[in-house]
């Protein structure tokens, strides 16, 4: 098999074909342990594949490829691909030293009672316990082989490039590239800052990043034979025989090779796949180093590596030209390898605050088009077995795809419960009633909170059924509008400052739980259930909770069986307090940086004072805290205990009720897939507005989209500031946020109002409908619209 010719800029012609690579493998490389586990059937397939290696058959069409890439079978996902064996040698004494690739998955999931009481968030697993590796994984370090001496500097290389461009003689450049990438030793000899230093710490990789960047930036602009020599050299490096564990020089070489821009071209994917396979198969201790070194890569390079990995996965799932790739059955390990390497970069990204790139940059939208429920069910059924599922790596699944999983999982639970209700009726020889298939909530407007609480408490077993709301004494069928109105009215009443359940903080524009003690916390459970019902029934709520709330809501993501286990308790920092009470957080921050004598100047003790119903009460932050002064030495402990008291301990009973209310509706293993930020988006929608998308999806009643009033309207709205656009959305829909599915999911409608043009626009938030009079000109429309949206009542505004 000869590799496909690339577009201009990358050369692969003349690379050794797979038969030559196999011959070299037979001379010095043993099959990886994964291949040995596959048994004789796999070896027979290998022999047949070797005969046809020079002429690979085309792989199936895109949909078939997608299915094949996620094929589940008895064989290990790292089944061998005979055309290019490059995994680590397991001969003789080396066999006992190698570890299989780290499986970043959750334990086998059967039921909640099998789960320990701690958080089983798979995202924690994917961060690989980076800072808590046992000592035995961190040493000893094998001796580094001596490196050849290479004295070329960045300036020398740049001078060679300039001379080659002007003279057309690329020999010096060709020699540099072919020598540098010929082996891992040569890569280190050129790019290691000091060849005589081991650089065995996670803090310093010892890589001359500037030199690496300059060499790679110039590579794609060199002649084809130069680029070809680099790929040949990489093949040589990957094919060398490995004995024993990797050295830090080997890890440096992997780190450098991952940044090669040539791997953006599909014609290099066979080589790229085997590089990824070797990296994925490293020990956890080696991954530990790669993760910490990766976080030192510049943001631009980091993003490029992540994008290449995502593109590799996408094109293996849905190849534009299937003939460019080996048959799917021969490389089922491609996608798992790439995903595991991507997990290392996700772990590196999570170690830095703020992160190098956004967590959304790890989303692969291609996965929106695969069978997500098959992925989810495999993950549920097989847990930490060898069956690969993207759900083991939820950072790669977009919020839109996660919403699909949650909704379908919810629907299946709804159907299951409704079916059971029907069977129970029939078994008792009672006439089935269609109402039994729904969660029917009947409330009086004058007793909205108490009636809602009673209904949801009484019908706790039906919470996973489809919600239908009826207002007592009012005719009408709930086609979605009444349900949304119920949510809006209930949230507005519960979050009103006079109600006392939540405190609104003007500085941060968010609500937080009142710390007042009471005898019954059932109303907090109601708020949690409302949030769960909103997610379950795809309703966007206008709730202003800080991000910390959603972090606590996933602590743990699965309700523990032991009711004595604490829930809703998470690690909180001063940054979390800044998002709720910025003034207090600023004061504590100043305490930490105060240069004077804290004990004498502040005269504080380990106590907190809170006003409750006009009475000042004190609470000790630690035993005998009222007798322990805050000093320069213990002020960090004081601040941490203070923050923990405010965000965890002082509101524990309130939040625990809220937690159990939410999980009484949303209890699902799908929550393990979610980040706190994603839970917030599912509940409240996304803050990112795209008014042009709203314009494209808007429906009209009484108007045509070409009418002059509609043209005026969109000219005005698209010219609004972001603040006014949010006010318009809030005015028309009850929330200034966008559902996960985007503006199209709003079902926004503009209706013609036959009232006088002296009237302001009117909105029906339950139906996301704006009633717009036919104003005479654009100026009048703009004036009336701004008055209307700026003086509408909003939740949390006083």
């Amino acid at each position: 098999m000869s590799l496909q010719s690339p577009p201009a800029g990358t050369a692969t012609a003349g690379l050794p074909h797979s038969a030559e690579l196999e011959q070299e493998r037979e001379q010095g490389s043993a099959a990886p342990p994964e291949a040995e586990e596959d048994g004789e059937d796999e070896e027979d397939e290998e022999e047949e594949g070797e005969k046809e290696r020079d002429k690979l058959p085309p792989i199936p069409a895109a949909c078939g490829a997608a299915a094949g890439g996620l094929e589940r079978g008895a064989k290990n996902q790292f089944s061998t691909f005979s055309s290019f064996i490059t995994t680590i040698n397991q001969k003789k004494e080396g066999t006992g030293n190698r570890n299989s690739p780290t499986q970043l998955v959750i334990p086998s999931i059967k039921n909640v009672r099998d789960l320990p009481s701690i958080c089983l968030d798979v995202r924690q697993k994917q961060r690989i316990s980076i800072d808590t590796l046992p000592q035995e994984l961190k040493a000893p370090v094998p001796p580094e082989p001596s490196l050849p001496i290479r004295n070329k500097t960045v300036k020398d290389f740049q001078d060679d490039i300039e001379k080659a461009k002007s003279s057309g003689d690329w020999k010096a450049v060709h020699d540099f590239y072919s020598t540098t990438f010929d082996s891992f030793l040569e890569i280190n000899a050129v790019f290691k800052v000091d060849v005589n230093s081991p650089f065995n710490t996670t803090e310093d990789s010892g890589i001359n990043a500037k030199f690496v960047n300059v060499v790679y930036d110039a590579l794609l602009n060199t002649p084809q034979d130069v680029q070809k020599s680099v790929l040949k050299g990489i093949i040589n490096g990957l094919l060398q025989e490995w004995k024993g564990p990797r050295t830090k020089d080997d890890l440096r070489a992997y780190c450098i090779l991952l940044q090669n821009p040539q791997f953006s071209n599909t014609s290099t994917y066979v080589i790229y796949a085997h590089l990824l396979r070797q990296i994925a198969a490293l020990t956890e201790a080696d991954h530990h180093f790669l993760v910490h070194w990766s976080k030192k890569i510049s943001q631009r390079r980091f993003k490029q590596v992540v994008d290449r990995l995502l593109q590799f996965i996408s094109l293996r799932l849905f190849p534009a030209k299937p003939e460019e790739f080996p048959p799917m059955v021969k490389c089922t390990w491609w996608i798992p390898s790439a995903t595991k390497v991507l997990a290392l970069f996700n772990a590196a990204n999570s170690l830095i605050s703020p992160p190098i790139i956004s967590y959304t940059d790890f989303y692969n939208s291609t996965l929106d088009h695969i069978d997500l429920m098959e992925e989810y069910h495999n993950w549920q059924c097989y847990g930490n077995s060898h069956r690969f599922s993207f759900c083991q790596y939820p950072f790669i699944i977009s919020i839109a795809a996660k919403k699909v999983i949650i909704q379908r999982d919810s629907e299946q639970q709804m159907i299951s419960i409704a079916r059971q209700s029907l069977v129970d009726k029939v078994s008792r020889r009672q006439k089935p009633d269609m109402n039994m298939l729904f969660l029917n909530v009947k409330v009086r407007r004058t007793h909205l909170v108490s009636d809602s609480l009673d209904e949801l408490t009484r019908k706790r077993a039906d919470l996973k059924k489809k919600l239908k709301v009826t207002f007592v004494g009012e005719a009408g069928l709930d086609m979605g509008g009444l349900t949304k109105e119920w949510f809006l009215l209930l949230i507005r009443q519960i979050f009103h400052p006079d109600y006392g359940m939540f405190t609104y903080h003007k500085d941060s524009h968010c609500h937080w739980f009142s710390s007042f003690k009471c005898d019954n916390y059932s109303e907090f459970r109601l708020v949690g259930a409302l949030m769960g019902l909103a997610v379950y029934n795809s309703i966007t709520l206008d709730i202003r909770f800080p991000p910390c709330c959603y972090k606590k809501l996933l602590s743990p993501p699965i309700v523990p069986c032991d009711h004595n286990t604490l829930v809703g308790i998470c690690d909180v920092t001063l940054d979390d307090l800044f998002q709720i009470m910025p003034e207090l957080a600023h004061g504590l921050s100043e305490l930490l940086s105060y240069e004077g004598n804290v004990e004498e100047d502040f005269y504080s003790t380990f106590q907190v004072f809170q006003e409750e119903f006009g009475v000042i009460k004190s609470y000790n932050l630690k035993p005998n805290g009222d007798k322990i002064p805050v000093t320069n030495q213990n002020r960090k402990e004081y601040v941490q205990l203070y923050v923990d008291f405010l965000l965890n301990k002082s509101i524990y009973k309130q939040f625990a009720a809220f937690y159990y209310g939410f999980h009484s509706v949303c209890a699902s293993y799908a929550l393990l897939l979610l980040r706190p930020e994603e839970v917030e988006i599912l509940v409240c929608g996304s803050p990112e507005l795209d008014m042009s998308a709203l314009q494209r999806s808007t429906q009209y009643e009484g108007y045509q989209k070409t009418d002059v009033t509609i043209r005026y309207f969109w000219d005005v709205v698209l010219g609004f500031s972001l603040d006014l656009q949010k006010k318009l959305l809030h005015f028309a829909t009850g929330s200034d946020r966008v559902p996960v599915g985007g503006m199209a999911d709003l079902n926004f409608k503009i209706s013609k109002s036959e009232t006088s043009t002296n009237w302001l626009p009117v909105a029906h938030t339950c139906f996301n409908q704006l009633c717009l009079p036919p104003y005479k000109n654009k100026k009048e429309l703009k004036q009336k619209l701004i008055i209307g949206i700026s003086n509408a009542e909003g939740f949390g505004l006083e």
Side-chain angles (χ1 to χ4, degrees):
M1 177 191 72
S2 59
L3 299 178
Q4 299 293 323
S5 298
T10 301
T12 57
L15 288 177
H17 54 65
S18 46
E20 295 172 357
L21 296 170
E22 182 65 16
Q23 180 181 2
E24 196 166 344
R25 193 267 307 177
E26 291 174 350
Q27 292 173 356
S29 297
E34 294 89 347
E36 295 171 3
E37 294 172 3
D38 286 341
E40 296 179 358
D41 292 340
E42 183 70 12
E43 293 174 3
D44 293 339
E45 290 181 15
E46 290 278 325
E47 293 173 2
E48 293 177 7
E50 290 169 11
K51 297 176 182 177
E52 301 179 359
R53 194 162 292 130
D54 289 329
K55 189 175 181 181
L56 287 171
I59 65 175
C63 58
L70 301 176
E71 183 180 60
R72 310 292 183 263
K75 295 181 180 180
N76 191 303
Q77 66 225 30
F78 280 86
S79 59
T80 55
F81 171 43
S82 56
S83 68
F84 193 55
I85 302 297
T86 59
T87 48
I88 299 171
N89 217 343
Q90 299 296 318
K91 277 189 177 182
K92 302 176 185 178
E93 72 278 4
T95 303
N97 295 331
R98 288 310 319 273
N99 292 338
S100 60
T102 304
Q103 293 290 332
L104 309 178
V105 299
I106 64 170
S108 179
I109 296 175
K110 295 299 179 185
N111 54 59
V112 177
R113 296 189 179 277
D114 292 333
L115 297 175
S117 59
I118 61 173
C119 172
L120 282 176
D121 191 342
V122 286
R123 289 174 287 102
Q124 303 292 340
K125 294 261 180 188
Q126 281 154 7
R127 288 163 191 166
I128 319 179
S129 307
I130 294 302
D131 295 315
T132 58
L133 281 176
Q135 287 298 322
E136 59 267 22
L137 289 181
K138 299 181 180 179
V141 179
E144 305 278 351
S146 58
L147 299 177
I149 303 300
R150 300 286 181 258
N151 296 318
K152 182 158 290 196
T153 64
V154 174
K155 187 176 186 309
D156 294 337
F157 173 77
Q158 290 174 327
D159 289 343
D160 287 346
I161 291 290
E162 292 303 319
K163 290 176 183 176
K165 287 180 178 178
S166 58
S167 66
D169 182 4
W170 290 86
K171 185 178 184 306
V173 175
H174 182 282
D175 291 345
F176 171 81
Y177 276 111
S178 60
T179 302
T180 298
F181 289 94
D182 186 59
S183 69
F184 282 18
L185 289 179
E186 289 288 352
I187 290 174
N188 278 275
V190 173
F191 296 119
K192 196 173 178 181
V193 175
D194 182 356
V195 296
N196 296 315
S197 298
F199 293 105
N200 284 331
T201 69
T202 58
E203 297 306 313
D204 188 359
S205 65
I207 297 174
N208 186 340
K210 181 180 179 181
F211 202 176
V212 172
N213 294 341
V214 169
V215 168
Y216 278 146
D217 286 341
L219 178 58
L220 296 184
N221 296 316
T222 60
Q224 300 286 303
D225 60 332
V226 175
Q227 298 182 45
K228 179 174 58 180
S229 69
V230 172
L231 294 174
K232 283 184 177 180
I234 293 174
I235 292 173
N236 291 336
L238 294 177
L239 277 174
Q240 63 184 291
E241 182 177 0
W242 299 102
K243 292 183 179 180
R246 295 288 196 269
T247 66
K248 296 302 174 287
D249 281 345
D250 299 334
L251 300 184
R252 264 182 284 279
Y254 283 132
C255 192
I256 293 168
L257 290 178
L258 272 176
Q259 301 176 55
N260 188 340
Q262 290 177 294
F263 293 136
S264 295
N265 194 297
T266 56
S267 61
T268 65
Y269 272 15
V270 171
I271 305 172
Y272 192 32
H274 287 275
L275 171 64
L276 298 177
R277 182 180 188 175
Q278 289 192 12
I279 295 173
L282 293 171
T283 65
E284 184 175 354
D286 290 340
H287 285 161
H288 175 75
F289 278 87
L290 286 178
V291 165
H292 280 277
W293 290 350
S294 297
K295 71 183 183 183
K296 303 293 181 64
I297 300 175
S298 70
Q299 183 185 47
R300 184 168 73 91
R301 305 284 173 178
F302 191 95
K303 180 74 162 56
Q304 287 173 347
V305 175
V306 169
D307 288 344
R308 273 196 291 272
L309 287 164
L310 291 171
Q311 176 185 286
F312 177 85
I313 293 169
S314 297
L315 292 178
R316 178 65 277 191
L317 281 172
F318 300 108
K321 296 179 180 179
E323 65 276 6
E324 287 186 335
F325 302 129
M328 183 65 79
V329 294
K330 289 294 184 181
C331 54
T332 55
W333 49 269
W334 279 31
I335 290 174
S337 297
T339 309
K340 288 182 179 182
V341 175
L342 193 62
L344 300 180
F345 282 86
N346 180 64
N349 195 54
S350 68
L351 287 177
I352 298 179
S353 182
I356 305 169
I357 59 178
S358 169
Y359 71 91
T360 59
D361 288 331
F362 286 89
Y363 286 166
N364 190 330
S365 57
T366 306
L367 303 186
D368 297 358
H369 306 288
I370 66 174
D371 189 342
L372 293 168
M373 293 314 292
E374 180 191 1
E375 294 291 305
Y376 180 65
H377 289 143
N378 282 334
W379 175 61
Q380 276 190 300
C381 296
Y382 300 106
N384 60 352
S385 71
H386 292 297
R387 294 201 178 195
F388 172 79
S389 169
F390 283 112
C391 291
Q392 296 166 342
Y393 308 90
F395 63 83
I396 199 175
I397 304 175
S398 70
I399 181 63
K402 289 173 184 173
K403 182 184 179 184
V404 170
I405 292 174
I406 289 174
Q407 285 184 330
R408 291 184 184 173
D409 186 48
S410 302
E411 290 168 2
Q412 290 173 3
Q413 292 185 50
M414 287 180 184
I415 293 170
S416 177
I417 292 173
R419 183 187 292 118
Q420 186 59 48
S421 299
L422 186 61
V423 169
D424 291 343
K425 278 276 188 183
V426 173
S427 65
R428 292 196 298 267
R429 301 196 176 191
Q430 297 175 348
K431 184 179 179 180
D433 181 5
M434 285 301 295
N435 286 326
M436 65 187 293
L437 303 179
F438 299 93
L439 168 60
N440 295 288
V441 175
K442 294 183 180 180
V443 294
R444 297 167 293 175
R445 288 184 183 270
T446 53
H447 300 78
L448 192 63
V449 175
S450 59
D451 283 1
S452 299
L453 182 59
D454 290 343
E455 285 282 88
L456 295 184
T457 302
R458 225 167 19 88
K459 300 175 179 178
R460 189 173 298 178
D462 297 333
L463 292 179
K464 291 184 183 294
K465 295 180 181 178
K466 187 69 176 176
L467 176 64
K468 282 192 177 295
V469 176
T470 303
F471 288 97
V472 176
E474 299 180 19
L477 295 175
D478 185 8
M479 304 303 289
L482 293 179
T483 295
K484 185 174 181 182
E485 183 181 10
W486 177 68
F487 274 111
L488 291 175
L489 294 176
L490 202 52
I491 292 298
R492 177 181 297 181
Q493 187 167 332
I494 287 174
F495 281 85
H496 195 281
D498 293 343
Y499 206 72
M501 286 178 63
F502 297 94
T503 303
Y504 182 71
H505 296 272
K506 295 180 181 179
D507 293 340
S508 57
H509 304 291
C510 72
H511 290 95
W512 191 242
F513 295 78
S514 171
S515 61
F516 292 166
K517 304 296 184 291
C518 59
D519 297 328
N520 190 346
Y521 296 95
S522 57
E523 290 181 343
F524 287 99
R525 189 180 183 102
L526 171 62
V527 178
L530 283 176
M531 281 180 52
L533 287 170
V535 172
Y536 230 46
N537 292 273
S538 299
I539 300 289
T540 301
L541 299 182
D542 186 37
I543 294 179
R544 294 289 185 267
F545 280 134
C548 172
C549 175
Y550 301 97
K551 185 164 62 172
K552 288 166 66 67
L553 206 54
L554 292 179
S555 301
I558 300 296
V559 178
C561 296
D562 184 0
H563 292 294
N564 294 322
T565 302
L566 296 179
V567 297
I569 299 293
C570 66
D571 293 332
V572 288
T573 65
L574 203 54
D575 290 337
D576 293 312
L577 189 62
F578 262 112
Q579 295 169 343
I580 306 170
M581 310 170 195
E583 285 189 8
L584 176 58
H586 180 71
L588 292 175
S589 179
E590 287 189 334
L591 173 66
L592 290 176
S593 60
Y594 186 68
E595 296 181 357
N597 189 308
V598 171
E599 182 177 0
E600 294 181 358
D601 296 346
F602 286 88
Y603 200 69
S604 296
T605 59
F606 276 70
Q607 274 185 306
V608 170
F609 297 91
Q610 287 188 330
E611 181 182 348
E612 297 180 11
F613 302 108
V615 178
I616 302 296
K617 292 189 176 182
S618 62
Y619 298 92
N620 286 344
L621 294 177
K622 58 192 300 187
N624 299 316
D626 56 327
K627 300 175 183 177
I628 303 174
V630 178
T631 65
N632 293 62
Q633 289 72 36
N634 64 17
R635 56 183 169 180
K636 286 186 179 179
E637 180 191 10
Y638 169 76
V639 169
Q640 183 55 44
L641 290 174
Y642 199 140
V643 173
D644 182 63
F645 176 83
L646 292 177
L647 304 187
N648 281 325
K649 293 178 180 176
S650 67
I651 59 162
Y652 177 75
K653 291 184 178 179
Q654 294 89 324
F655 197 92
F658 173 78
Y659 171 94
Y660 283 116
F662 178 81
H663 287 273
S664 68
V665 183
C666 276
S668 169
Y669 289 113
L671 290 179
L672 287 163
L673 305 177
L674 297 175
R675 298 172 58 97
E677 302 94 326
E678 293 170 329
V679 177
E680 181 180 10
I681 291 174
L682 286 175
V683 173
C684 306
S686 170
E688 297 180 6
L689 303 188
D690 184 352
M691 285 301 180
S692 296
L694 182 63
Q695 180 183 13
R696 291 191 295 270
S697 62
T698 297
Q699 304 169 25
Y700 300 96
E701 188 177 89
Y703 283 118
Q704 300 290 329
K705 64 180 180 180
T706 55
D707 289 347
V708 63
T709 303
I710 298 301
R711 294 204 306 270
Y712 288 160
F713 174 81
W714 288 114
D715 285 347
V716 168
V717 169
L718 294 176
F720 272 168
S721 65
L722 179 61
D723 182 56
L724 282 176
Q725 288 178 345
K726 286 186 175 183
K727 286 184 177 180
L728 171 64
L729 202 62
H730 191 284
F731 176 76
T733 70
S735 173
D736 61 6
R737 292 186 167 225
V738 185
V740 172
M743 290 294 193
D745 278 9
L746 277 176
N747 297 317
F748 183 63
K749 179 186 289 186
I750 299 178
S751 299
K752 188 172 185 178
S753 175
E754 299 297 346
T755 58
S756 167
T757 55
N758 293 325
W759 285 39
L760 297 175
V762 175
H764 301 296
T765 55
C766 298
F767 299 100
N768 297 340
Q769 185 176 12
L770 180 68
C771 298
L772 196 66
Y775 296 112
K776 299 175 184 177
N777 53 59
K778 186 190 297 185
K779 181 179 179 181
E780 183 182 17
L781 185 148
K782 182 177 182 179
Q783 181 184 20
K784 293 287 198 302
L785 187 60
I786 290 177
I787 293 173
I789 65 177
S790 298
N791 293 278
E793 181 183 2
F795 307 150
L797 299 179
E798 299 177 342

